[in-house]
Structure formats: C-alpha cells, structure tokens
Amino acid sequence: MISMEWDGLTDRERFGEWYREKRDRFSDMARDADWDGLFEELERQPGWVNLPRPGNRTGFAPLHQAAWHGADFAVVSRLIAHGAWRTQRTRDGRRAVDIARAEGHTHLLDLLEPVVVRRLPSPAQALEHHFHALLRERTGRCFEEIEHLLPPLEPLTEGLNMKIFFPVVGMMGGFTYGIEGEVVHVHGHSRMDADDGDHYRVTPEGWFRIEHKRVPPSP
C-alpha cells in the first residue's frame, strides 16, 4: 500500500522549529535543483515527496520545481517513481505539466501528463464536495481557529492502493482516506482515541459513519 501525506497547514509557526527547518532544507534542495540531496532525503523521508514548503505559500512541491527547472527526464521519472503526484496543483492552480509547458520544457510534457490509474466515483465534483463537508463537520472548531487547505481527491486517481494522510492541528491526528470500491473510505483518528477512531464512507450522494472492525494480525 502506498502511503502519502497532504499538508494543508498554512501557518508556518504551528510547526516545531526543528521540523520546520528540516522541511525548509528539503524545499531548498528542490528550489535549487539539488536533486542528489533531495533524493537522499527522500530515502529517509519517502512521504515528503509531495510536500510544499511549510506554510504552503505557493504550493510548489518537488515535482513543480523540477518542471520549472526543466530537470532531466531521469530526475522527473525518479520523482514520479517515488510517488510524486502529477495531478497536484500549486496555490494558483497549476500542475507540473502546466509549468513545464509555460517554461518551454517540451521534453517533460508527455512524462508529466497525469495518468489515471483509478477513476473516482462519479460525479467527482459532488464526491469531493461531500468529502470536504465531512472534514469540516468532524473537525469542529479546528478549521475555524487554524486555516487548513482541504485536500483534493484527484491524487487518488494516480495509484491503485493509495492512502493519503491529512494531519489536522488541534486533533492530535487527522484523517486517512482512500478509494475502496465505489466509495471513499475516511478514517478519522487521534493519539487521544481510546479505540480505532471513526470510519466513514463518502459517495457522490453524501457521507455517513460506519462500524469498522479491526482485523487482527496473522499469527
């Protein structure tokens, strides 16, 4: 199973200083086209491949930076192999392929064009609307007190068994979500939970809570 993270937190000061500085160095590597250093860090932190700089001012993740620089085909292929989302958009709505096209890096256009491996339940716009409604309702005042950019569902189309974690400040946890059959399964969990947390199914018609039995590990 592929596990990724969506960082929607827009307040840099909410991150611990040590973590913030480490993420800044990672973002600096992508900004400065230090691909060797970036891939070395991804070996230690594979879940960072789609993370922007803390604070998410521009939303540029490593793949967007590679597209802007016109990086070698091999570099971009390696980022995608690490799980970089070709559907991920910057704060102004651009995908990596849009950036490469604007900068004239035609050698990357075919590679960066998003490939749909798994379709979202249709209509996708209604599905995402109810997904976001679930997140807003179940977080209570967390989103009111601290701005979070809600995660798009489009990256789920890029992998068959992808799960994405959306951390929420104030929950001491967050939501893990992925496609299961014709629904999006959402697991809300916190370090404060005495049990497995709450599970939900989201469809284009709405969302509802479900009972979820944990499967014990094989002996």
Side-chain angles (χ1 to χ4, degrees), residues 17-211:
E17 183 178 358
W18 175 86
Y19 177 77
R20 184 175 64 240
E21 289 179 354
K22 195 165 184 180
R23 281 270 305 276
D24 276 339
R25 286 195 295 271
F26 178 73
S27 294
D28 288 345
M29 291 174 191
R31 180 198 64 195
D32 300 337
D34 178 6
W35 307 122
D36 289 339
L38 184 122
F39 285 120
E40 186 176 329
E41 188 63 32
L42 281 177
E43 292 301 320
R44 294 189 288 266
Q45 304 287 352
W48 286 13
V49 67
N50 295 302
L51 297 186
R53 187 178 298 277
N56 214 328
R57 185 173 63 85
T58 66
F60 264 59
L63 193 63
H64 299 116
Q65 296 284 17
W68 189 87
H69 282 289
D72 290 344
F73 190 93
V75 167
V76 175
S77 295
R78 192 173 174 186
L79 281 171
I80 293 170
H82 272 274
W85 298 326
R86 285 174 277 195
T87 56
Q88 186 172 6
R89 295 179 184 272
T90 60
R91 290 291 299 270
D92 60 6
R94 292 181 293 166
R95 303 166 301 171
V97 68
D98 303 320
I99 295 169
R101 183 177 294 110
E103 297 298 324
H105 302 312
T106 56
H107 67 291
L108 295 176
L109 297 184
D110 287 344
L111 179 60
L112 288 173
E113 192 65 40
V115 176
V116 175
V117 176
R118 183 171 194 173
R119 296 194 177 277
L120 293 170
S122 183
Q125 186 174 6
L127 179 75
E128 187 168 276
H129 169 78
H130 292 300
F131 173 59
H132 288 171
L134 164 64
L135 298 181
R136 289 191 186 96
E137 180 162 332
R138 302 315 298 171
T139 53
R141 290 181 298 177
C142 292
F143 285 0
E144 297 173 11
E145 297 172 355
I146 304 166
E147 183 186 20
H148 291 73
L149 302 176
L150 295 176
L153 289 175
E154 197 173 15
L156 290 175
T157 66
E158 299 192 49
L160 288 177
N161 298 301
M162 188 184 300
K163 296 288 186 181
I164 301 176
F165 175 56
F166 172 39
V168 177
V169 173
M171 280 185 64
M172 297 187 71
F175 299 90
T176 299
Y177 57 95
I179 302 174
E180 293 186 4
E182 292 302 311
V183 304
V184 171
H185 179 268
V186 182
H187 177 202
H189 46 96
S190 167
R191 294 193 296 274
M192 302 299 290
D193 290 336
D195 54 17
D196 188 39
D198 296 318
H199 293 261
Y200 308 90
R201 284 180 178 165
V202 184
T203 72
E205 287 73 45
W207 63 268
F208 54 94
R209 189 174 181 272
I210 59 173
E211 296 296 324

